[in-house]
Amino acid sequence: MKTDESKKRTRKERERDIHRGEILEAAEKVFAQKGYHAATIEEIARTADFGVGTLYNFFRDKNDLYNALVMSLVGRFWEEMEKRIIPLKDPRKALAAMANLRFDFFNRHSGLARIMIESMLSGEPRPPCAEARNHDLLRNRYLKVVEKIFKDGVKKGVFHNFNPAYMALFFDGMITGITIHAAQHEDFKLRRNMACEYIEKMFITGKDTRR
């Protein structure tokens, strides 16, 4: 049985998680509007409706906050992937679900994605990322999931008999290319269903295994 003290501590932890989430949400808005270099802790604090000192109770500095935001989004993507895609047994459905998830995620976080992509392509200094290794590990896990989808599809005769690791990279590259184009051209309307259909048709053999 929990003591009153442990209950109080748990409640405080829950409240801290809520406040941290509110700060990250505000940070995403400010970074999306201003970019990393122009954004300030003061503006993020105002947007979150917290004092500047409160932010420093959660994050060491702006770079620490930015890293936490990026890793939070990566973690959310992974959670959705585990929920929506990994349980699927049909490789064709799994591939379509993965493409949809990638485009959904871009649309939900398009403002921040635009800033990150423009920063990457412009060659301007990027914020140092202490979590880069974790990000790379999660990306490699993501590519392994996509590779497994292709491996299963090749085995079932759904996808062309090509190297699944290369197919995973081609798939990732196509979606990344489309989202980069969408980020650079605000007048470009990303038609998710059309893009998913075209991508799927590039890999399937034409044999429809759906019942």
Side-chain angles (χ1 to χ4, degrees), residues 73 76-77 80 101-109:
L73 295 179
R76 259 188 268 171
F77 178 86
E80 290 194 42
L101 176 58
R102 286 284 306 272
F103 289 132
D104 280 347
F105 217 75
F106 173 79
N107 285 333
R108 272 183 272 156
H109 305 284

Side-chain angles (χ1 to χ4, degrees), residues 18-36:
I18 290 170
H19 293 331
R20 188 176 188 276
E22 290 170 344
I23 293 169
L24 290 175
E25 186 178 336
E28 181 173 359
K29 289 178 184 175
V30 175
F31 284 132
Q33 292 169 358
K34 299 293 184 70
Y36 174 81

Side-chain angles (χ1 to χ4, degrees), residues 135-179:
H135 181 277
D136 289 344
L137 287 173
L138 287 170
R139 173 172 165 73
N140 288 335
R141 285 172 66 190
Y142 151 76
L143 286 173
K144 285 296 182 184
V145 171
V146 180
E147 182 180 342
K148 184 180 183 303
I149 292 172
F150 281 114
K151 194 177 291 183
D152 292 344
V154 168
K155 191 180 295 183
K156 293 178 180 179
V158 178
F159 299 136
H160 293 293
N161 189 18
F162 298 143
N163 185 310
Y166 279 92
M167 292 172 85
L169 290 170
F170 293 151
F171 171 84
D172 179 64
M174 282 188 286
I175 292 183
T176 300
I178 292 169
T179 52

Side-chain angles (χ1 to χ4, degrees), residues 46-68:
R46 280 198 305 272
T47 303
D49 201 22
F50 287 117
V52 172
T54 301
L55 265 67
Y56 285 115
N57 289 333
F58 290 86
F59 306 101
R60 291 188 302 274
D61 51 30
K62 184 172 73 171
N63 182 56
D64 188 37
L65 174 52
Y66 181 85
N67 285 333

Side-chain angles (χ1 to χ4, degrees), residues 78-112:
W78 183 260
E79 286 174 7
E80 290 194 42
M81 187 170 69
E82 286 187 319
K83 190 182 302 180
R84 291 168 52 176
I85 293 153
I86 292 178
L88 296 174
K89 303 300 181 186
D90 183 330
R92 186 169 176 174
K93 288 180 180 177
L95 187 69
M98 181 67 85
N100 270 294
L101 176 58
R102 286 284 306 272
F103 289 132
D104 280 347
F105 217 75
F106 173 79
N107 285 333
R108 272 183 272 156
H109 305 284
S110 58
L112 184 64

